[in-house]
Amino acid sequence: MPRVLITDAEGRATLAACRALRSSGYEVDAVASRGPAPAQWSLSCSRRLWAPDPRVDRAAFVESLQILLEERHYDVLLPGSDAALHAISEHRDRVIPLVALGLPPHEVVIRALSKTTVFEAWRHTRLAAPPTEIATSLDEAREAASVHGFPLIVKPSTSVRPDGPGLRQRSSRLVRDDEELAGTVEDFGLPVLVQRRLHGAVHSLGGVFAAGGLLAAVHSRYERTWPPEAGNVSCSVSLPVPDGLREDVIELLGGLGWRGIFELELLEKDGGGFATIDLNPRVYGSLELAVRADAALPTIWCETLLGDTLENHFRDARGGVWYRWEDAEARNALLCLRSGRITELLGMLKPHRHTAHAQFRLNDPAPLAARAISGIRARRAAGESPRRARAGT
């Protein structure tokens, strides 16, 4: 069997990729920096492997991958996070002789991870982002806030940036007042993107981009997110790809120079069409939806890297498949219960046929247990930290 090494076994995206590849006849080994990692508890994972966290020491992370690649033959290496993608791309000379990566040049990877570059490149296209200002100081950020009004979205200039031997990784934030704005700017570092918060349905367009076209595409609409106001998808449903969207995405990704797996997060505009919210140039959180909807993006990408004919992969995911992220759905349900929104809660609990779950499968239940244990440990650690601080330890 062809063999794949994939990083970030702690994440939902890696678990979905492991399951998709294993069901397609691949052997998959998963790398984690901490445990329990759900992908490593899956029956689809052949070996549990360990490496330093690239956010702490990116060179040591890649060195560990190099050792693993030298000890055992692998056909493909897949990064499972922005941090892993940055680290592997930066030190690619250590792994390229040993395995297929399929990454574009490093400068393209940096552009794809840069929210500023993506915004600038697409601002005059049909998928331009909501009104956005690039602030190079706190005063400029406050000026943009006065124009757009609170609450607003603040984004770091790039998803990950070097921070000593490691990497600082930050996600976009909903900011409600000037105090939060100042704290966010200090945490992110300058420059930052200050973006007007628009209301509308959030959509996702994931796929595999290669040879100047989309080898596969999966379009979905978010039903809920966590956190509810500006978070990651917790429930969504797949839909047909809208007219014109495929061509717009091909133009954008082609201009960027990207190739491989990706996800675009989009906001549906009142007058029709979409605005770009974010680009994820890697396996992404709701990947299990694509797999369940017959567009196994990791398999398609690996087969392309290993020389399969591109024409074999032109496909769209089927519509009507639902996705639920168990952790986030439980939090949304609890929030509805506490706030007395019973009708909304009952609608949330309504089952749907053809539902893909982020972690749970009846024939592969252990990843959900691993995620539950990991969540309990994280909450305990968060609860202990304030007590230690008060005790002066």
Side-chain angles (χ1 to χ4, degrees):
M1 291 187 290
R3 190 175 292 138
V4 176
L5 183 66
I6 186 167
T7 71
D8 298 273
E10 302 89 343
R12 294 171 285 136
T14 295
L15 174 59
C18 283
R19 286 169 165 169
L21 290 165
R22 182 63 181 177
S23 66
S24 300
Y26 287 76
E27 185 177 351
V28 189
D29 294 351
V31 179
S33 300
R34 63 186 184 278
Q40 291 186 332
W41 284 40
S42 172
L43 296 174
S44 61
C45 176
S46 297
R47 297 173 73 212
R48 302 176 182 178
L49 303 171
W50 305 93
D53 191 331
R55 299 161 191 82
V56 177
D57 192 332
R58 59 191 191 275
F61 167 73
V62 178
E63 181 181 3
S64 295
L65 295 182
Q66 180 184 2
I67 293 171
L68 294 174
L69 293 169
E70 290 172 342
E71 289 177 346
R72 196 178 196 213
H73 171 74
Y74 291 93
D75 296 284
V76 178
L77 171 61
L78 285 179
S81 68
D82 288 346
L85 173 62
H86 187 291
I88 292 169
S89 177
E90 181 183 16
H91 298 283
R92 64 179 65 196
D93 57 307
R94 305 189 68 164
V95 297
I96 279 181
L98 305 170
V99 71
L101 276 178
L103 294 180
H106 184 57
E107 57 269 22
V108 174
V109 172
I110 296 302
R111 286 204 303 267
L113 291 171
S114 169
K115 299 182 185 299
T116 303
T117 300
V118 170
F119 166 72
E120 291 283 8
W122 298 354
R123 67 187 308 173
H124 299 300
T125 71
R126 289 190 294 181
L127 294 181
T132 303
E133 307 298 332
I134 301 174
T136 58
S137 68
L138 178 56
D139 287 341
E140 289 186 5
R142 284 172 167 155
E143 184 179 346
S146 69
V147 172
H148 299 308
F150 292 107
L152 47 77
I153 305 295
V154 178
K155 299 181 177 182
S157 61
T158 182
S159 298
V160 289
R161 65 171 64 186
D163 184 15
L167 293 163
R168 175 182 292 194
Q169 183 167 328
R170 296 291 185 269
S171 300
S172 303
R173 240 175 244 178
L174 180 68
V175 172
R176 296 173 177 82
D177 54 40
D178 185 76
E179 184 179 355
E180 281 191 21
L181 177 62
T184 299
V185 169
E186 182 179 2
D187 183 38
F188 285 0
L190 294 166
V192 295
L193 280 70
V194 181
Q195 191 171 90
R196 183 179 301 169
R197 185 190 178 209
L198 300 181
H199 295 277
V202 180
H203 292 244
S204 165
L205 195 287
V208 175
F209 187 80
L214 280 178
L215 304 189
V218 52
H219 172 231
S220 61
R221 182 186 66 242
Y222 291 10
E223 299 296 312
R224 286 180 294 279
T225 65
W226 183 262
E229 294 180 314
N232 295 317
V233 58
S234 68
C235 179
S236 60
V237 60
S238 63
L239 303 169
V241 179
D243 293 339
L245 182 57
R246 186 193 317 274
E247 291 73 21
D248 290 340
V249 172
I250 289 173
E251 178 185 359
L252 295 179
L253 294 178
L256 188 64
W258 181 252
R259 63 172 179 263
I261 298 172
F262 73 94
E263 182 203 28
L264 269 177
E265 294 181 15
L266 306 161
L267 184 72
E268 186 175 355
K269 295 188 289 190
D270 290 338
F274 297 93
T276 300
I277 299 175
D278 208 356
L279 168 66
N280 297 310
R282 49 167 170 77
V283 293
Y284 55 93
S286 59
L287 181 63
E288 182 67 21
L289 174 61
V291 175
R292 183 66 179 269
D294 302 327
L297 306 184
T299 301
I300 294 169
W301 178 231
C302 287
E303 289 178 352
T304 302
L305 290 178
L306 298 179
D308 199 0
T309 306
L310 295 179
E311 285 75 9
N312 293 338
H313 303 307
F314 289 105
R315 72 186 74 171
D316 285 347
R318 60 188 172 92
V321 178
W322 288 79
Y323 168 81
R324 290 183 186 269
W325 173 21
E326 299 92 335
D327 308 25
E329 284 290 85
R331 293 188 183 100
N332 273 320
L334 185 59
L335 181 63
C336 283
L337 182 62
R338 286 175 173 172
S339 57
R341 305 198 308 268
I342 303 304
T343 301
E344 185 178 344
L345 174 62
L346 293 176
M348 188 181 305
L349 297 177
K350 179 182 176 181
H352 297 281
R353 297 183 62 190
H354 311 298
T355 298
H357 294 93
Q359 279 116 11
F360 180 73
R361 281 190 184 182
L362 192 60
N363 60 355
D364 190 24
L368 182 60
R371 176 59 189 148
I373 295 170
S374 176
I376 292 170
R377 288 180 178 176
R379 284 192 294 273
R380 284 179 177 173
E384 289 174 1
S385 296
R387 291 196 294 271
R388 289 175 180 170
R390 286 193 297 269
T393 59

